[in-house]
């Protein structure tokens, strides 16, 4: 068809002219898509949406179970051998009460077991197809009734031995950069403390050696090709008896590795009686005496009961709050956080899955946003929810009828409130603004339904179960 080019240009101009004639700018087009698209169309649209950073991201538990299994199976080449508990025998030692089905252990731990106890386990490589399916399901909150106890007390210990293999960590982090890059995320500020990383024989790598293994993997070309930048925060486990020692170590460690480590975080259940924020105040003040300022983002208010956890956590030195679900119950702190000095890292799917806000229409995310407290969307431990960043946007955009300006703002705020060094931050904000402009043109100038058919989103397991049936 000799005139097809001219024809399509005329058609495009016609569509543009008709949009303009209707006075339709992109905010109106966005609202039209939000309200009229089918769930599958909206998913494609939000998958293609340029996004900012994932600021609340636990690196190890952000890996999909399927990716984790695939990479764990390759570890035998490096000498790592994992064993999986597939049963319980009565060995007369009375110690299988706290044992977990599908728990992974390393070879050194396995070797220390009695012959009878060893028979509870099978090598990870030898799982049957059915056992592999069960193994995968055991790492995800995918069954009715599975919530925070399953997560904290089962999934975390099931994966712990595999997470201590630094080669596994580096490979799975690289895979995640690629997956996040495909859905438009351009920065990950992950939580990872490179301590307790193990050699195949179970002895510990010094933190610097574990870091060298990570850096070597990151120098491979597929990582740069992902287009996603990354930095880390270390994380204090707040309720542990050695909290003070952890804080002191992390001040030293981050200070020595500021090229890659940009902040300190603290995590762990706040409902533990040693998990409250002010227990850490002295330790953080001691750290500040001898180290130039280190940015802090700290978990706080990840609970549904009212309290001053967020206020107390700001006193620790945090300028970003992870979760902040119960900030809504503390008017003085809400007023304090209004403006632009602080940001709340919202984790909608995490809060839903762990039963802090089982009904997301009751989540305070939109109230913070519209009240003037900067917020962004994050994936937290997405491997355990089997979700992605698009799912977070889907819940937010649809559930709170977000406007286009609000969508752009949360993406931009995630970058401007990141702890990335100034040059990287500037570059990322520029690329975000450029990509947002191109996205607007793409969906304003053309027939949006036709445009959406060209997108092939990676639909997450969570989305298949909850958003795009
Ligand atoms: Zn978290």
């Amino acid at each position: 068809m000799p005139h097809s080019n001219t024809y399509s240009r005329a058609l495009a101009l016609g569509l543009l002219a008709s949009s303009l004639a209707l006075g339709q700018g992109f905010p109106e087009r966005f609202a039209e898509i939000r309200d009229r698209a089918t769930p599958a169309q909206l998913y494609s649209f939000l998958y293609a949406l340029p996004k900012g950073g994932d600021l609340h991201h636990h690196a190890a538990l952000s890996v999909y179970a399927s990716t984790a299994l695939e990479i764990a199976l390759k570890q035998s080449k490096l000498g790592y051998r994992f064993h999986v508990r597939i049963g319980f025998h009565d060995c007369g030692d009375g110690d299988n009460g706290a044992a977990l089905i599908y728990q992974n252990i390393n070879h050194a731990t396995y070797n220390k077991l009695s012959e009878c106890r060893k028979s509870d386990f099978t090598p990870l490589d030898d799982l049957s197809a059915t056992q592999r399916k069960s193994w995968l399901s055991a790492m995800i909150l995918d069954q009715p009734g599975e919530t925070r106890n399953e997560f904290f007390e089962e999934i975390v210990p099931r994966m712990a031995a595999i997470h201590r293999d630094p080669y596994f960590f580096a490979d799975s982090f690289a895979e995640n950069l690629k997956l996040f890059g495909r859905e438009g995320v351009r920065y990950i500020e992950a939580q990872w403390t490179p301590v307790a990383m193990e050699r195949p024989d179970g002895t510990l790598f010094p933190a610097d050696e574990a870091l060298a293994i990570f850096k070597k993997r990151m120098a491979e070309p597929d990582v740069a090709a992902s287009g996603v930048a990354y930095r880390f925060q270390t994380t204090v486990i707040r309720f542990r008896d050695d909290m003070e020692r952890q804080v002191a170590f992390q001040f030293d460690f981050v200070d020595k590795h500021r090229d890659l480590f940009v902040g300190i975080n603290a995590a762990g259940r706040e409902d533990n009686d040693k998990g409250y924020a002010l227990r850490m105040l002295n330790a953080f003040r001691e750290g500040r005496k001898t180290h130039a300022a280190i940015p802090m983002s700290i978990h706080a208010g990840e609970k549904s009961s009212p309290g001053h956890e967020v206020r107390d956590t700001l006193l620790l030195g945090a300028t970003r709050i992870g979760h902040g679900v119960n900030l809504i119950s503390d008017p003085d702190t809400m007023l304090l956080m209004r403006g632009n000095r602080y940001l709340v890292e919202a984790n909608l799917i995490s809060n839903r899955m762990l039963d802090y806000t089982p009904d997301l229409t009751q989540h305070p995310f939109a109230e913070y946003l519209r009240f003037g407290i900067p917020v962004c969307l994050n994936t937290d431990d997405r491997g355990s929810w089997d979700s992605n960043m698009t799912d977070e946007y889907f819940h937010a955009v649809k559930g709170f009828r977000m406007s286009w300006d609000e969508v752009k703002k949360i993406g931009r705020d995630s970058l401007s409130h990141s702890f990335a060094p100034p040059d990287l931050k500037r570059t990322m904000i520029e690329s975000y603004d450029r990509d947002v402009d191109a996205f607007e043109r793409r969906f304003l100038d053309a027939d949006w339904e036709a445009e959406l058919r060209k997108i092939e989103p990676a639909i997450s397991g969570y989305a298949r179960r909850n958003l795009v049936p």
Side-chain angles (χ1 to χ4, degrees):
M1 287 245 300
H3 300 296
S4 67
N5 244 350
T6 322
Y7 176 76
S8 59
R9 204 171 305 134
L11 187 67
L13 284 172
L15 283 169
L16 179 59
S18 65
S19 307
L20 293 173
L22 290 168
Q24 195 184 46
F26 194 76
E28 291 78 17
R29 173 57 57 91
F30 176 81
E32 181 190 344
I33 297 173
R34 179 196 66 204
D35 296 338
R36 289 191 30 210
T38 64
Q41 284 175 322
L42 183 62
Y43 201 86
S44 293
F45 181 66
L46 294 176
Y47 188 82
L49 173 78
K51 302 175 185 77
D54 192 11
L55 301 187
H56 194 112
H57 175 114
H58 298 266
L61 285 163
S62 288
V63 181
Y64 288 137
S66 51
T67 310
L69 181 59
E70 198 179 304
I71 296 173
L73 287 170
K74 289 183 190 154
Q75 298 305 299
S76 52
K77 280 194 305 219
L78 298 160
Y80 288 88
R81 290 171 65 195
F82 299 107
H83 302 260
V84 186
R85 179 186 284 278
I86 52 163
F88 303 93
H89 292 93
D90 183 1
C91 297
D93 55 7
D95 86 343
N96 61 4
L100 277 174
I101 191 81
Y102 295 110
Q103 175 156 28
N104 303 280
I105 59 172
N106 66 21
H107 196 58
T109 308
Y110 176 81
N111 270 340
K112 288 182 204 139
L113 301 176
S114 69
E115 286 310 308
C116 172
R117 193 52 70 212
K118 280 180 181 166
S119 68
D120 288 350
F121 291 84
T122 192
L124 184 67
D125 319 50
D126 289 354
L127 292 177
S128 68
T130 316
Q131 286 168 332
R132 277 192 191 192
K133 245 177 119 183
S134 305
W135 187 98
L136 293 172
S137 174
M139 307 309 160
I140 300 171
L141 297 181
D142 58 351
Q143 302 297 325
E146 288 184 343
T147 174
R148 76 184 84 137
N149 275 338
E150 166 90 5
F151 175 69
F152 287 111
E153 317 303 336
E154 300 193 9
I155 294 180
V156 173
R158 270 183 187 126
M159 286 299 292
I162 295 178
H163 289 160
R164 288 196 290 268
D165 165 359
Y167 300 95
F168 169 90
F169 178 82
D171 257 349
S172 59
F173 191 78
E175 283 313 302
N176 251 348
L177 292 178
K178 295 179 217 171
L179 292 172
F180 275 88
R182 273 176 224 145
E183 54 170 338
V185 175
R186 65 203 62 225
Y187 176 67
I188 291 182
E189 200 168 286
Q191 294 172 54
W192 177 50
T193 312
V195 295
M197 302 308 264
E198 291 176 349
R199 301 187 181 89
D201 65 5
T203 55
L204 289 182
F205 277 114
D208 281 340
E209 264 183 60
L211 200 51
I213 291 167
F214 174 79
K215 286 186 172 176
K216 188 160 177 249
R217 174 67 184 88
M218 291 300 110
E220 290 179 31
D222 60 329
V223 171
S226 74
V228 183
Y230 56 88
R231 289 294 187 276
F232 289 101
Q233 306 168 37
T234 58
T235 305
V236 175
I237 306 301
R238 60 202 313 154
F239 52 75
R240 281 194 353 205
D241 290 336
D242 68 344
M243 176 275 296
E244 267 119 346
R245 195 199 55 77
Q246 291 179 61
V247 172
F249 170 84
Q250 294 185 18
F251 265 92
D252 280 344
F253 185 82
V254 172
D255 191 41
K256 280 193 200 110
H257 299 90
R258 290 185 189 247
D259 58 331
L260 200 53
F261 285 78
V262 294
I264 296 180
N265 207 313
R269 297 176 77 145
E270 290 166 280
D271 51 8
N272 182 296
D273 60 2
K274 284 187 184 156
Y276 62 98
L278 293 180
R279 179 169 171 258
M280 298 185 282
L281 183 57
N282 233 1
F284 278 95
R285 286 182 172 169
E286 282 303 310
R288 273 193 281 272
K289 278 182 188 164
T290 47
H291 301 87
I294 293 175
M296 276 165 204
S297 166
I298 299 182
H299 289 65
E302 187 184 7
K303 56 202 304 196
S304 31
S305 51
H308 295 293
E309 286 80 1
V310 172
R311 179 196 65 191
D312 294 351
T313 301
L314 295 177
L315 192 62
L316 296 180
T319 55
R320 294 194 337 232
I321 293 294
H323 295 284
V325 176
N326 79 353
L327 167 64
I328 195 75
S329 71
D330 182 352
D332 288 346
T333 309
M334 275 194 67
L335 288 167
L336 171 72
M337 292 181 75
R338 201 176 195 182
N340 211 30
R341 286 190 298 159
Y342 305 104
L343 170 133
V344 173
E345 302 156 359
N347 302 278
L348 300 179
I349 293 170
S350 168
N351 296 157
R352 176 173 183 238
M353 297 305 284
L354 299 186
D355 226 10
Y356 295 109
T357 43
D359 172 5
L360 281 182
T361 65
Q362 300 306 307
H363 197 285
F365 164 80
E367 175 62 11
Y368 299 160
L369 171 70
R370 291 162 184 167
F371 183 73
I373 299 173
V375 283
C376 63
L377 292 168
N378 306 275
T379 63
D380 205 7
D381 299 286
R382 68 89 167 252
S384 309
W385 339 131
D386 206 16
S387 65
N388 63 18
M389 186 64 98
T390 302
D391 302 345
E392 302 285 338
Y393 273 82
F394 194 106
H395 274 301
V397 165
K398 199 74 188 158
F400 301 112
R401 296 192 73 246
M402 286 180 76
S403 71
W404 176 236
D405 283 348
E406 289 173 336
V407 170
K408 282 194 294 187
K409 178 175 165 39
I410 63 167
R412 217 169 188 279
D413 281 350
S414 72
L415 297 171
S416 60
H417 286 262
S418 77
F419 299 151
D423 283 357
L424 174 59
K425 193 183 281 197
R426 197 176 329 109
T427 314
M428 292 193 299
I429 292 175
E430 282 166 8
S431 86
Y432 177 73
D433 288 345
R434 252 196 328 270
D435 290 354
V436 163
D437 280 349
F439 183 79
E440 289 183 350
R441 282 198 304 277
R442 176 178 184 187
F443 286 98
L444 186 60
D445 297 357
D447 168 0
W448 60 262
E449 294 194 76
E451 216 43 49
L452 287 177
R453 282 194 287 275
K454 297 178 194 162
I455 297 164
E456 289 177 21
I459 302 176
S460 73
Y462 176 90
R464 288 190 195 284
R465 283 187 284 277
N466 297 281
L467 305 173
V468 193

